[in-house]
Amino acid sequence: MRLLFTVMTVTVCGALGVLGCDAPIAHYKTMGCTPIGSAANGCPERYDCPSLTAHDSSKCYFNGKTYDISQSIPDEEVSQFCSALCYCRAANPIAKFRCTHVDCAEFFHRFDYENCLRQYKANRCCSSGTVCGADRDRLATCELEKEIYKEGQRMYFKANNCRTCICTAGFNVNATDTDPNCFETVCGFELFSEKMVYGGGIPVYKSDRCCPWEWRMPQESDGVVKGSGKVGTDPNLQCKYGKLTLDIGDSLDIQQQADAQKMSCTCQVPPLMHCVLN
């Protein structure tokens, strides 16, 4: 394993939104926000996000926890992002994490995909080993949503790609909610995109991803397209974006380039708007 002292952007794959809610809310879960109320679409009415509303630029935030300058994140909490030795450091205008990027050994070697399988453990970036030949054939198998996996392989859900399982001997497809080898995706944007996350940006999702693909900052040309809902009177049920205030159901009027991927941005679950790349 080779360690390089650099900072890189990492996005973990997954599905848009979560079961029971038709809006992408992985960013709220990652930031440790608290769901408030319930809307007709199965989503929370809004979220309470202290890291946004009471943000302290002299501190760092990750996965619902606050870190003081020089304080470190345990390696096991960031290893899935191919990172280690992350610590909070002072920066202008917002404190940020400094991490060591981990280059996995398998990144630098050819792999015999016909004869071998890489083995993985939960919440780890690098593989834990390789099994080849007859040993591979003796591995236990798992079935998830009509797909067959070998022991040690990562398994993905089609309906909820924010959850991943590792195939193990004795895997019970009916107990994935309690299986210790099944886990929810934690997004890494607080480690690498703090200026956008806590500087007024909103998450941009792709339809086949769990975590935000990028963050969009306000632009002078942005406007508001009013939705069919009534004008809000509760500021907790509105989205603030730059100089704009949007009620639930309102969308952003974006000046799109003809050759650019189309983006739609709406206020659906405050306090943040979200965008989707179509």
Side-chain angles (χ1 to χ4, degrees):
M1 185 188 319
R2 183 163 60 94
L3 298 182
L4 300 176
F5 285 85
T6 58
V7 176
M8 68 178 293
T9 300
V10 176
T11 303
V12 181
C13 299
L16 186 67
V18 295
L19 293 176
C21 177
D22 62 3
I25 54 176
H27 54 290
Y28 287 136
K29 290 193 170 187
T30 289
M31 290 189 286
C33 302
T34 303
I36 306 294
S38 179
N41 60 358
C43 302
E45 191 175 48
R46 64 180 179 89
Y47 276 86
D48 179 28
C49 300
S51 62
L52 289 171
T53 57
H55 187 84
D56 185 341
S57 295
S58 66
K59 298 181 184 298
C60 299
Y61 298 83
F62 177 69
N63 199 18
K65 299 176 184 177
T66 304
Y67 293 82
D68 295 322
I69 300 300
S70 299
Q71 189 175 0
S72 299
I73 305 177
D75 281 348
E76 59 268 22
E77 294 187 24
V78 296
S79 62
Q80 63 186 299
F81 309 114
C82 299
S83 297
L85 305 178
C86 293
Y87 68 95
C88 179
R89 69 179 183 89
N92 186 23
I94 299 173
K96 62 187 298 181
F97 286 107
R98 179 78 174 183
C99 299
T100 299
H101 173 60
V102 178
D103 281 333
C104 300
E106 62 256 34
F107 296 168
F108 304 99
H109 301 283
R110 291 184 179 181
F111 189 73
D112 183 1
Y113 290 97
E114 295 294 327
N115 188 51
C116 302
L117 285 176
R118 290 194 178 107
Q119 304 287 283
Y120 291 91
K121 294 182 179 180
N123 296 314
R124 294 293 182 266
C125 166
C126 303
S127 62
S128 58
T130 301
V131 179
C132 300
D135 290 335
R136 182 194 65 170
D137 297 335
R138 286 192 288 267
L139 291 172
T141 60
C142 306
E143 182 175 352
L144 180 66
E145 297 181 345
K146 298 182 180 181
E147 295 287 340
I148 303 298
Y149 300 87
K150 289 281 191 179
E151 185 176 359
Q153 285 189 298
R154 291 169 174 158
M155 303 185 293
Y156 301 99
F157 294 81
K158 296 175 182 178
N160 179 15
N161 284 347
C162 283
R163 190 164 181 81
T164 303
C165 292
I166 304 296
C167 176
T168 56
F171 172 74
N172 183 354
V173 70
N174 297 314
T176 57
D177 288 343
T178 57
D179 191 324
N181 292 293
C182 296
F183 50 94
E184 293 293 323
T185 296
V186 174
C187 305
F189 54 77
E190 290 176 300
L191 293 176
F192 313 109
S193 304
E194 75 293 327
K195 286 186 179 180
M196 292 186 172
V197 176
Y198 294 114
I202 53 177
V204 179
Y205 285 85
K206 286 189 174 182
S207 59
D208 60 346
R209 302 265 174 173
C210 175
C211 297
W213 178 251
E214 61 186 2
W215 289 73
R216 185 184 190 275
M217 300 301 291
Q219 301 178 20
E220 287 294 330
S221 59
D222 291 340
V224 177
V225 178
K226 295 302 295 182
S228 57
K230 64 180 181 180
V231 176
T233 57
D234 184 351
N236 290 321
L237 298 180
Q238 294 176 323
C239 300
K240 309 291 184 180
Y241 185 50
K243 299 177 181 179
L244 304 177
T245 299
L246 298 89
D247 297 312
I248 293 177
D250 292 351
S251 59
L252 203 61
D253 183 7
I254 303 173
Q255 299 299 316
Q256 308 258 13
Q257 295 181 1
D259 59 347
Q261 191 170 11
K262 298 299 182 182
M263 180 187 300
S264 59
C265 305
T266 58
C267 176
Q268 190 169 347
V269 184
L272 293 178
M273 298 179 61
H274 70 265
C275 303
V276 176
L277 287 170
N278 301 314

